[in-house]
Amino acid sequence: MNDMTQTNFERALKIVGSRPARPDGVDKVTGRALFGADKSLPNMLVGRVLRSPYAHAKILSIDTSKAEKLKGVKAIITSVDFEDFPSEFVPNGEMVVNMKDITRNVMAREKVLYVGHTVAAIAATDEDIAEQALALIDVKYEVLPHVLEVEDAEKSDAPLLHDDMMTIGVEPAPTSASNVAKRVEFGFGDVEKGFSEADLVVEREFTTQQVHQGYIEPHACLASVSEDGQAELWCTTQGPFVVRNFCSKLLGFNAAQIRVTASEIGGGFGGKTVVYLEPLALALSRKSCRPVKMEMNRAEVFTASGPTSGAKIWVKIGVKNNGQITAGDCILKYQAGAFQGAPVGPGAMCAFAPYDLTNVRAVGYDIVVNRPKVAAYRAPGGPISEYGVESVIDEIALKIGMDPIDLRLKNAAKEGTIAPYGPKLGPIGMIETLEAAKDHPHYSAPLGPNQARGVASGFWFNIGGETSSSITINEDGTVGLTLGTPDIGGSRASMAMMASEELGVPMELIKPIIGDTNSLGFNFLTGGSRATFSTGTTVVESTREAIGELKKRAALLWEVSLDQVEWVDGHARLISGDEPKTMSLAQIAKQAGKTGGPIMANCSMNVTGAGPSLGTHIVDVEVDKETGRVSIIRYTAIQDAGKAIHPAYVEGQLQGGAVQGIGWALNEEYIYNDKGELENTGFLDYRIPVCSDVPMIDTVIVEVPNPNHPYGVRGVGETPIIPPLAAISNAVSRATNKRFDELPLSPPKVLAKLMHG
Amino acid sequence: MDYVAPKTAMEASEALVQDGAFALAGGTDLLVKLKTKFISPNIVVDIKQVPKITSIEESMDGWWIGAATPCAEIVEHESLCQDWPGVVEALSLIGSTQIQGRATLGGNLCNASPAADSVPALIAANGTCVISGQTGEREEPIENIVISPGATVLAKGEFILGFKLPKPPSGSGDAYLRLIPRSEMDIAVVGVGTSVSVDKNKKITSIRISLGAIAPTQVILDGLEDIFIGKEPDEDSINKLVSLAESACRPIKDKRGTIEYRTKIAGVLAKRTLNIAYERATNH
Ligand SMILES: Cc1cc2nc3c(=O)[nH]c(=O)nc-3n(C[C@H](O)[C@H](O)[C@H](O)COP(=O)(O)OP(=O)(O)OC[C@H]3O[C@@H](n4cnc5c(N)ncnc54)[C@H](O)[C@@H]3O)c2cc1C
C-alpha cells in the first residue's frame, strides 16, 4: 500500500477537485464512441435466442432438426452444448457464484423457471433467417404451477423451483426442500429488552416491487472463436475480467484463450456484472467458426436480464421520548428470482447502519420465485431495507414531535460506532450530511398547498478489491494510463486527474484507456462504488513509482545521487547545487532510451479500506388529492464523497441515483399477469422518470476524507439511490396525513389509499 | 414491401385499394408497429404529397386542418390556437417535441387507439372529417370513424383528407386534460375534451364532452343539456357531471390503471375541463 503518512488531505491541490472536460466526452457527443452493438466483423453471423413462454415448466424435449436444415442457419445450441456443474459456491472476484445456477440461467436445462428463460440459441446469416429458424425449433414442455411473490413462495405447499434446495442458516437444518434459499441474521444486544425500555414502539410492514436498472443500452456482444480455439469477445460490461472468468468456466476455455474487450457502456448500474448473451455468442461462434453478434431487444432486457428484488419487509423501532432509539428490529424477505442470490445479506447489514444502536437485529430471507434472476442494482439490497427503517424513523419523529433530522442526529453513527453488521466504523459523514441538510435553505423553504417535505438518510459500504493498472511515459512527454475498470461515470477523467496531480503535467497530456483482459492483471468489475477508490489507489501508486523512475533517470543524466533529485510540478529538480537546475518530464522521457529504456510502472493489488458513504436527501412533493398523482417539486441530495476528485461527476452520481430512486418510489414496477408473463416489457409502461418528471436535483458534497485512499476518496455511486424511496414516501405521508408503506406510489395506489385508508 | 408517394387523392386511393396497403402519415404509430412486427404491409402509401392534406386554412365556414399536417405546425398556428385552445392543447400533448414534428391528426384518429389524445378534443369541438376514396369525397362526424380498438369505418381505398372545425361563436371555450403517471411520453389513463359556449349572462348555451381511454372507443357524454343549458355551473351540476362521467366508463382493467381508478379520474377530469372551458368561454 502507498505511504499513507504522505497525506494529500491538507495539501493544496491543483487538479483534483476541479472540473475539466472528460477525455471521452467528444466521442460520446459526436456518436463516435463504440457501444456493445456497434462492432461488426467480416462474415459475421446474427445470433438469436429462443426463450421460454412459460413461467415454470419441465423441458420434455427440444427438437432442432427442422431449424438446422434451414438454409443460412450455421449453428444451434441448447443446454447439451454446456458442461454441467455441481452446486458449489466459488469466488469470482468479490462475488461468490454458483456455477450450477449460472449455467442454468444462461441456458435452461431440466426446467424453465421464468418467462424469457433461454432455451436455445441460433446463429444464422441474417436476422430473418434466424427468426424463421427460432420458429422451427420444437420444444415440448410440461407446464408446472408457478409462484411470483415471496409470501406465496415460502408456503410449504408452494410450487418448488428447485427440489434440492434446503434452507441454509436455520436450526435445526430442514429435511425437506423449499423456496427459501437462506436465512441471514445480523445484530447484537437484546432487542426485546430494548423495546421494553422504549416510550414508543412503532412497527410496520412494507412492500416494494421488482424494479429494473433501466440502462438505455441493451446487452450486446460480438464473439469470434478461431479454429484453434482462440476467442475474442467484445461486449458491454462492467467487468471484462469477470466476464472472461464466467465464460471460460462455462465453456471450458482457459483464461488466456479468451480476450475480452469492454465497449463503451450505455449504463449498467450493477446489471452488467453477469453474463447472458456472451457465453451463447462464444458457443455459437465456436460451433460455426464465424463471428457471432448478439443483441437483446428491450423486451428481452426486461424479461431475461437481472432486475433487483421486490420485497416484503417488517420493521420495528423503539424510542425514548427524547428520541433515543432503544432497539431496532427488522425482517426482510427478498425475491431472488429463479435462482438464489437476492441481495438480502447487504440489505440486512445496512438496514440500521446509519445509526449508533445498542440493541439491533436484522433478519433476511433469500427466496426464489418464477421471475428473472436478480442482478446487482446500485447498492444492492440497501434501498429496500433502508426504505423501511427510514420510513419508521419518520413516523416516530412525527409521533414524538421531533424534527426528523434532529431525531437522526441524536442517533447518528459516527467514528467508533459498532456497525450492526459487526465492525467498528472509521470516520464517516452521517452527522456532517445531516447538518448540511439542516443548514440547507431547502430545509426551511416555505411549502405550498398540498405540498410536504420528506427526508431520509442512507448508508452504503463500498468496496475495494483486486485491481491492476499501469502508466507509461511516452517519448514526447505525454502519458498513457491503462485501466481495468470500465468507465461508467467519468472514471477515466478522475484517473487522469489523479495522475496529473501527482505528476504535475497537464491532464490533457494524459490519455486514459480501458485495457482488455490481456493488458493487465485481474480487475474486479466496476461496481460497489469501487473504481475511483480502488483503481485510483493503483493509479496514484503506479504514478508515484513512475515519478521515482523519472527522478532516477534525471540523477543519471545529472550524474548525481538519487537523493539529490526531487519532483516538483512536472520537473525533476536538483536539490543542492549553486544554480537551480530542472529537467521537465518531456526532457527526461526523450532521453529514456539512453538512460535505461522506456519508463513504465504498474500497480496490482487487492485494495482494502473502502470507506462507507452516507447521504441525506430532502424532497418536496405535491400530491394531487383528487388523482393521487405525486409531483416532485424540489430535491436536494447531500452526500459524503470523502474527496470529490471531479465534483461534477460526483454530482452526476448523486443526481442519477436520486432520479433512479424517484422512479423506484413513484412508478416503476414489474407487472405480471396470472400466467406469470411480464406485461410491461417496454419503457411506455415500465415508467422510469422522464426529464420533465424531475426538477433539477440540487447537490451538496460533504468531504470527510477516507484515510485509506491517497486523496480521501470514498465511493459515491450507490448511496444516492438509497434515501429517495423513504424520503418521497415520508413526504407523501406528511402531505396526506396517511402513512404510506407500499411502493411504487403510483397514482392509482395513492388515490386508493386516500379514498379507503 | 413497396413504398409509393402518390401526388393526387385518386392515385392514393388506387394504391390503398391493394391488399396489405397502409397509409403513412407521420409514421409514429406505423413504424413502431412495423418494427415490432405487429403489421407487415405489402405496400406503404405515403399520403403527404396529396393536395390539401398538409394545409391549415381558415374561412367563413370554419377551419380546415389537413389530415397529414404535423402537430408541430398546428401548435404554431396562432389564430387556430385562439379559436380551439383545447384541441391544440390535446395534440400538443402527443409524445414529445420530436414526435410532434411527425405526428398527425389523421394518424392519431386512424390508429384507432382509445387513448388517442386529440380525438376527444376534436369530438368535443364538433369536428368532422373529409374522407377521400375512389368514388370521391364524403364527410363524417369524427365520432363515427373509430369502431373498435384498431378498427375504423374507412373502406378499402379510403383515407382521411382533412378535418373541419366550426368557427366557434363568441363566448366559446374548450379544454382537454389527460392523466398520465409521468409528465410526458406516456399514454392517457383517461383523457377528456370539453367544449362550451355561453351567452352574455354567462349561462351555458351549448356543451359537449368526450372521454377517451375509458371504453373501447371514445365516448360522448349524453344528458349534459338537461344539467347545464341556461345555467352557470354550480356545485350541484358539477356533481351530476362527475357521476355522469363516472357512469359512462366501461374501462378494461389493465396495467395502465384499475377500473376504479379510471372511473374516478374520468369524473375528476370532466369537472376540471369544464371549469377551464367555462372560464375560457366567459373570457372569449
Ligand atoms: C414515443 C411516442 C409517444 C407517443 N405519445 C402519444 C401521446 O402522448 N398521445 C397520443 O395520442 N399518441 C401518442 N403516440 C402515438 C402517435 O404518435 C400518434 O397517434 C400520432 O398522432 C400518429 O400520427 P402519425 O401521423 O405518426 O400516424 P402514422 O403512424 O403515419 O399512422 C397511424 C395509423 O393511421 C393510418 N393513417 C395515418 N394517416 C391516415 C389518414 N390520413 N387516413 C387514413 N389512415 C391514416 C396509418 O395507416 C396507420 O395505421 C406516441 C407515439 C410515440 C412513438
PDB file of all heavy atoms in Angstrom, chain B residues 15-40:
ATOM      1  N   ALA B  15     -53.828   3.245 -54.828  1.00  0.00           N
ATOM      2  CA  ALA B  15     -52.754   2.498 -54.160  1.00  0.00           C
ATOM      3  C   ALA B  15     -53.278   1.818 -52.897  1.00  0.00           C
ATOM      4  O   ALA B  15     -52.921   0.679 -52.577  1.00  0.00           O
ATOM      5  CB  ALA B  15     -51.600   3.428 -53.820  1.00  0.00           C
ATOM      6  N   LEU B  16     -54.173   2.518 -52.194  1.00  0.00           N
ATOM      7  CA  LEU B  16     -54.660   1.995 -50.912  1.00  0.00           C
ATOM      8  C   LEU B  16     -55.655   0.847 -51.072  1.00  0.00           C
ATOM      9  O   LEU B  16     -55.931   0.125 -50.111  1.00  0.00           O
ATOM     10  CB  LEU B  16     -55.298   3.127 -50.092  1.00  0.00           C
ATOM     11  CG  LEU B  16     -54.313   4.085 -49.407  1.00  0.00           C
ATOM     12  CD1 LEU B  16     -55.041   5.317 -48.871  1.00  0.00           C
ATOM     13  CD2 LEU B  16     -53.569   3.377 -48.270  1.00  0.00           C
ATOM     14  N   VAL B  17     -56.180   0.691 -52.264  1.00  0.00           N
ATOM     15  CA  VAL B  17     -57.128  -0.401 -52.501  1.00  0.00           C
ATOM     16  C   VAL B  17     -56.427  -1.761 -52.458  1.00  0.00           C
ATOM     17  O   VAL B  17     -57.016  -2.784 -52.122  1.00  0.00           O
ATOM     18  CB  VAL B  17     -57.826  -0.184 -53.876  1.00  0.00           C
ATOM     19  CG1 VAL B  17     -58.399  -1.477 -54.414  1.00  0.00           C
ATOM     20  CG2 VAL B  17     -58.913   0.857 -53.729  1.00  0.00           C
ATOM     21  N   GLN B  18     -55.146  -1.760 -52.740  1.00  0.00           N
ATOM     22  CA  GLN B  18     -54.416  -3.035 -52.821  1.00  0.00           C
ATOM     23  C   GLN B  18     -54.390  -3.773 -51.475  1.00  0.00           C
ATOM     24  O   GLN B  18     -54.476  -3.149 -50.417  1.00  0.00           O
ATOM     25  CB  GLN B  18     -52.969  -2.774 -53.268  1.00  0.00           C
ATOM     26  CG  GLN B  18     -52.874  -2.062 -54.608  1.00  0.00           C
ATOM     27  CD  GLN B  18     -51.443  -1.626 -54.872  1.00  0.00           C
ATOM     28  OE1 GLN B  18     -50.574  -2.445 -55.104  1.00  0.00           O
ATOM     29  NE2 GLN B  18     -51.223  -0.329 -54.815  1.00  0.00           N
ATOM     30  N   ASP B  19     -54.254  -5.074 -51.546  1.00  0.00           N
ATOM     31  CA  ASP B  19     -54.173  -5.893 -50.330  1.00  0.00           C
ATOM     32  C   ASP B  19     -52.931  -5.519 -49.527  1.00  0.00           C
ATOM     33  O   ASP B  19     -51.854  -5.338 -50.096  1.00  0.00           O
ATOM     34  CB  ASP B  19     -54.070  -7.379 -50.688  1.00  0.00           C
ATOM     35  CG  ASP B  19     -55.451  -7.969 -50.854  1.00  0.00           C
ATOM     36  OD1 ASP B  19     -56.432  -7.299 -50.434  1.00  0.00           O
ATOM     37  OD2 ASP B  19     -55.553  -9.083 -51.408  1.00  0.00           O
ATOM     38  N   GLY B  20     -53.102  -5.429 -48.230  1.00  0.00           N
ATOM     39  CA  GLY B  20     -51.953  -5.148 -47.369  1.00  0.00           C
ATOM     40  C   GLY B  20     -51.397  -3.755 -47.534  1.00  0.00           C
ATOM     41  O   GLY B  20     -50.232  -3.520 -47.252  1.00  0.00           O
ATOM     42  N   ALA B  21     -52.244  -2.791 -48.001  1.00  0.00           N
ATOM     43  CA  ALA B  21     -51.781  -1.410 -48.135  1.00  0.00           C
ATOM     44  C   ALA B  21     -52.050  -0.637 -46.846  1.00  0.00           C
ATOM     45  O   ALA B  21     -53.096  -0.814 -46.216  1.00  0.00           O
ATOM     46  CB  ALA B  21     -52.494  -0.732 -49.309  1.00  0.00           C
ATOM     47  N   PHE B  22     -51.088   0.167 -46.437  1.00  0.00           N
ATOM     48  CA  PHE B  22     -51.262   1.028 -45.263  1.00  0.00           C
ATOM     49  C   PHE B  22     -50.907   2.459 -45.627  1.00  0.00           C
ATOM     50  O   PHE B  22     -49.895   2.695 -46.288  1.00  0.00           O
ATOM     51  CB  PHE B  22     -50.334   0.584 -44.127  1.00  0.00           C
ATOM     52  CG  PHE B  22     -50.830  -0.608 -43.366  1.00  0.00           C
ATOM     53  CD1 PHE B  22     -50.631  -1.896 -43.869  1.00  0.00           C
ATOM     54  CD2 PHE B  22     -51.492  -0.459 -42.158  1.00  0.00           C
ATOM     55  CE1 PHE B  22     -51.089  -3.010 -43.166  1.00  0.00           C
ATOM     56  CE2 PHE B  22     -51.955  -1.564 -41.447  1.00  0.00           C
ATOM     57  CZ  PHE B  22     -51.756  -2.851 -41.957  1.00  0.00           C
ATOM     58  N   ALA B  23     -51.762   3.386 -45.182  1.00  0.00           N
ATOM     59  CA  ALA B  23     -51.427   4.801 -45.359  1.00  0.00           C
ATOM     60  C   ALA B  23     -50.315   5.166 -44.381  1.00  0.00           C
ATOM     61  O   ALA B  23     -50.279   4.677 -43.251  1.00  0.00           O
ATOM     62  CB  ALA B  23     -52.653   5.667 -45.103  1.00  0.00           C
ATOM     63  N   LEU B  24     -49.419   6.028 -44.850  1.00  0.00           N
ATOM     64  CA  LEU B  24     -48.347   6.526 -43.981  1.00  0.00           C
ATOM     65  C   LEU B  24     -48.464   8.039 -43.898  1.00  0.00           C
ATOM     66  O   LEU B  24     -48.402   8.724 -44.913  1.00  0.00           O
ATOM     67  CB  LEU B  24     -46.974   6.157 -44.565  1.00  0.00           C
ATOM     68  CG  LEU B  24     -45.770   6.815 -43.885  1.00  0.00           C
ATOM     69  CD1 LEU B  24     -45.451   6.143 -42.561  1.00  0.00           C
ATOM     70  CD2 LEU B  24     -44.544   6.788 -44.789  1.00  0.00           C
ATOM     71  N   ALA B  25     -48.653   8.525 -42.683  1.00  0.00           N
ATOM     72  CA  ALA B  25     -48.604   9.982 -42.486  1.00  0.00           C
ATOM     73  C   ALA B  25     -47.282  10.279 -41.783  1.00  0.00           C
ATOM     74  O   ALA B  25     -46.230  10.221 -42.399  1.00  0.00           O
ATOM     75  CB  ALA B  25     -49.812  10.455 -41.700  1.00  0.00           C
ATOM     76  N   GLY B  26     -47.302  10.541 -40.491  1.00  0.00           N
ATOM     77  CA  GLY B  26     -46.046  10.797 -39.775  1.00  0.00           C
ATOM     78  C   GLY B  26     -45.276   9.523 -39.474  1.00  0.00           C
ATOM     79  O   GLY B  26     -44.068   9.540 -39.251  1.00  0.00           O
ATOM     80  N   GLY B  27     -45.972   8.413 -39.433  1.00  0.00           N
ATOM     81  CA  GLY B  27     -45.312   7.131 -39.187  1.00  0.00           C
ATOM     82  C   GLY B  27     -45.006   6.831 -37.727  1.00  0.00           C
ATOM     83  O   GLY B  27     -44.401   5.810 -37.417  1.00  0.00           O
ATOM     84  N   THR B  28     -45.441   7.693 -36.822  1.00  0.00           N
ATOM     85  CA  THR B  28     -45.052   7.473 -35.426  1.00  0.00           C
ATOM     86  C   THR B  28     -45.794   6.300 -34.781  1.00  0.00           C
ATOM     87  O   THR B  28     -45.348   5.775 -33.772  1.00  0.00           O
ATOM     88  CB  THR B  28     -45.252   8.747 -34.568  1.00  0.00           C
ATOM     89  OG1 THR B  28     -46.630   9.096 -34.605  1.00  0.00           O
ATOM     90  CG2 THR B  28     -44.387   9.890 -35.060  1.00  0.00           C
ATOM     91  N   ASP B  29     -46.901   5.906 -35.348  1.00  0.00           N
ATOM     92  CA  ASP B  29     -47.531   4.647 -34.937  1.00  0.00           C
ATOM     93  C   ASP B  29     -47.143   3.526 -35.896  1.00  0.00           C
ATOM     94  O   ASP B  29     -46.785   2.433 -35.479  1.00  0.00           O
ATOM     95  CB  ASP B  29     -49.063   4.767 -34.933  1.00  0.00           C
ATOM     96  CG  ASP B  29     -49.581   5.465 -33.689  1.00  0.00           C
ATOM     97  OD1 ASP B  29     -49.108   5.131 -32.585  1.00  0.00           O
ATOM     98  OD2 ASP B  29     -50.459   6.330 -33.814  1.00  0.00           O
ATOM     99  N   LEU B  30     -47.209   3.847 -37.185  1.00  0.00           N
ATOM    100  CA  LEU B  30     -46.997   2.808 -38.205  1.00  0.00           C
ATOM    101  C   LEU B  30     -45.597   2.181 -38.106  1.00  0.00           C
ATOM    102  O   LEU B  30     -45.454   0.958 -38.148  1.00  0.00           O
ATOM    103  CB  LEU B  30     -47.201   3.406 -39.600  1.00  0.00           C
ATOM    104  CG  LEU B  30     -47.358   2.374 -40.710  1.00  0.00           C
ATOM    105  CD1 LEU B  30     -48.764   1.794 -40.681  1.00  0.00           C
ATOM    106  CD2 LEU B  30     -47.060   2.957 -42.076  1.00  0.00           C
ATOM    107  N   LEU B  31     -44.582   3.013 -37.954  1.00  0.00           N
ATOM    108  CA  LEU B  31     -43.221   2.459 -37.923  1.00  0.00           C
ATOM    109  C   LEU B  31     -42.986   1.611 -36.678  1.00  0.00           C
ATOM    110  O   LEU B  31     -42.272   0.613 -36.725  1.00  0.00           O
ATOM    111  CB  LEU B  31     -42.180   3.582 -38.011  1.00  0.00           C
ATOM    112  CG  LEU B  31     -42.127   4.331 -39.346  1.00  0.00           C
ATOM    113  CD1 LEU B  31     -40.904   5.222 -39.408  1.00  0.00           C
ATOM    114  CD2 LEU B  31     -42.134   3.375 -40.525  1.00  0.00           C
ATOM    115  N   VAL B  32     -43.608   2.012 -35.580  1.00  0.00           N
ATOM    116  CA  VAL B  32     -43.463   1.213 -34.359  1.00  0.00           C
ATOM    117  C   VAL B  32     -44.074  -0.169 -34.583  1.00  0.00           C
ATOM    118  O   VAL B  32     -43.489  -1.201 -34.252  1.00  0.00           O
ATOM    119  CB  VAL B  32     -44.139   1.924 -33.156  1.00  0.00           C
ATOM    120  CG1 VAL B  32     -44.088   1.050 -31.917  1.00  0.00           C
ATOM    121  CG2 VAL B  32     -43.474   3.272 -32.888  1.00  0.00           C
ATOM    122  N   LYS B  33     -45.248  -0.179 -35.208  1.00  0.00           N
ATOM    123  CA  LYS B  33     -45.925  -1.460 -35.459  1.00  0.00           C
ATOM    124  C   LYS B  33     -45.166  -2.314 -36.468  1.00  0.00           C
ATOM    125  O   LYS B  33     -45.157  -3.532 -36.378  1.00  0.00           O
ATOM    126  CB  LYS B  33     -47.346  -1.205 -35.977  1.00  0.00           C
ATOM    127  CG  LYS B  33     -48.254  -0.680 -34.890  1.00  0.00           C
ATOM    128  CD  LYS B  33     -49.674  -0.549 -35.403  1.00  0.00           C
ATOM    129  CE  LYS B  33     -50.590  -0.086 -34.278  1.00  0.00           C
ATOM    130  NZ  LYS B  33     -51.895   0.326 -34.800  1.00  0.00           N
ATOM    131  N   LEU B  34     -44.544  -1.631 -37.428  1.00  0.00           N
ATOM    132  CA  LEU B  34     -43.729  -2.344 -38.411  1.00  0.00           C
ATOM    133  C   LEU B  34     -42.538  -3.023 -37.733  1.00  0.00           C
ATOM    134  O   LEU B  34     -42.259  -4.197 -37.948  1.00  0.00           O
ATOM    135  CB  LEU B  34     -43.195  -1.328 -39.418  1.00  0.00           C
ATOM    136  CG  LEU B  34     -43.610  -1.445 -40.862  1.00  0.00           C
ATOM    137  CD1 LEU B  34     -43.167  -0.212 -41.623  1.00  0.00           C
ATOM    138  CD2 LEU B  34     -43.048  -2.686 -41.483  1.00  0.00           C
ATOM    139  N   LYS B  35     -41.860  -2.240 -36.911  1.00  0.00           N
ATOM    140  CA  LYS B  35     -40.636  -2.747 -36.287  1.00  0.00           C
ATOM    141  C   LYS B  35     -40.918  -3.852 -35.292  1.00  0.00           C
ATOM    142  O   LYS B  35     -40.088  -4.736 -35.091  1.00  0.00           O
ATOM    143  CB  LYS B  35     -39.884  -1.605 -35.602  1.00  0.00           C
ATOM    144  CG  LYS B  35     -39.267  -0.663 -36.609  1.00  0.00           C
ATOM    145  CD  LYS B  35     -38.085   0.071 -36.016  1.00  0.00           C
ATOM    146  CE  LYS B  35     -37.302   0.750 -37.119  1.00  0.00           C
ATOM    147  NZ  LYS B  35     -36.250   1.609 -36.609  1.00  0.00           N
ATOM    148  N   THR B  36     -42.050  -3.776 -34.619  1.00  0.00           N
ATOM    149  CA  THR B  36     -42.357  -4.830 -33.653  1.00  0.00           C
ATOM    150  C   THR B  36     -43.090  -5.989 -34.334  1.00  0.00           C
ATOM    151  O   THR B  36     -43.599  -6.879 -33.677  1.00  0.00           O
ATOM    152  CB  THR B  36     -43.218  -4.286 -32.498  1.00  0.00           C
ATOM    153  OG1 THR B  36     -44.363  -3.643 -33.066  1.00  0.00           O
ATOM    154  CG2 THR B  36     -42.455  -3.291 -31.648  1.00  0.00           C
ATOM    155  N   LYS B  37     -43.183  -5.929 -35.677  1.00  0.00           N
ATOM    156  CA  LYS B  37     -43.804  -6.977 -36.482  1.00  0.00           C
ATOM    157  C   LYS B  37     -45.278  -7.188 -36.160  1.00  0.00           C
ATOM    158  O   LYS B  37     -45.845  -8.238 -36.381  1.00  0.00           O
ATOM    159  CB  LYS B  37     -43.032  -8.298 -36.328  1.00  0.00           C
ATOM    160  CG  LYS B  37     -41.548  -8.139 -36.666  1.00  0.00           C
ATOM    161  CD  LYS B  37     -40.917  -9.459 -37.056  1.00  0.00           C
ATOM    162  CE  LYS B  37     -39.617  -9.267 -37.797  1.00  0.00           C
ATOM    163  NZ  LYS B  37     -38.485  -8.882 -36.939  1.00  0.00           N
ATOM    164  N   PHE B  38     -45.908  -6.151 -35.627  1.00  0.00           N
ATOM    165  CA  PHE B  38     -47.334  -6.181 -35.354  1.00  0.00           C
ATOM    166  C   PHE B  38     -48.104  -6.155 -36.676  1.00  0.00           C
ATOM    167  O   PHE B  38     -49.162  -6.737 -36.807  1.00  0.00           O
ATOM    168  CB  PHE B  38     -47.678  -4.972 -34.489  1.00  0.00           C
ATOM    169  CG  PHE B  38     -49.057  -5.010 -33.915  1.00  0.00           C
ATOM    170  CD1 PHE B  38     -49.332  -5.803 -32.811  1.00  0.00           C
ATOM    171  CD2 PHE B  38     -50.081  -4.244 -34.470  1.00  0.00           C
ATOM    172  CE1 PHE B  38     -50.610  -5.839 -32.275  1.00  0.00           C
ATOM    173  CE2 PHE B  38     -51.360  -4.279 -33.934  1.00  0.00           C
ATOM    174  CZ  PHE B  38     -51.626  -5.074 -32.835  1.00  0.00           C
ATOM    175  N   ILE B  39     -47.531  -5.439 -37.670  1.00  0.00           N
ATOM    176  CA  ILE B  39     -48.101  -5.459 -39.021  1.00  0.00           C
ATOM    177  C   ILE B  39     -46.989  -5.766 -40.013  1.00  0.00           C
ATOM    178  O   ILE B  39     -45.821  -5.521 -39.724  1.00  0.00           O
ATOM    179  CB  ILE B  39     -48.743  -4.099 -39.416  1.00  0.00           C
ATOM    180  CG1 ILE B  39     -47.713  -2.964 -39.288  1.00  0.00           C
ATOM    181  CG2 ILE B  39     -49.965  -3.802 -38.576  1.00  0.00           C
ATOM    182  CD1 ILE B  39     -48.150  -1.663 -39.927  1.00  0.00           C
ATOM    183  N   SER B  40     -47.344  -6.346 -41.171  1.00  0.00           N
ATOM    184  CA  SER B  40     -46.350  -6.492 -42.232  1.00  0.00           C
ATOM    185  C   SER B  40     -46.989  -6.109 -43.562  1.00  0.00           C
ATOM    186  O   SER B  40     -47.525  -6.947 -44.268  1.00  0.00           O
ATOM    187  CB  SER B  40     -45.764  -7.904 -42.272  1.00  0.00           C
ATOM    188  OG  SER B  40     -46.706  -8.824 -41.815  1.00  0.00           O
TER     189      SER B  40
END
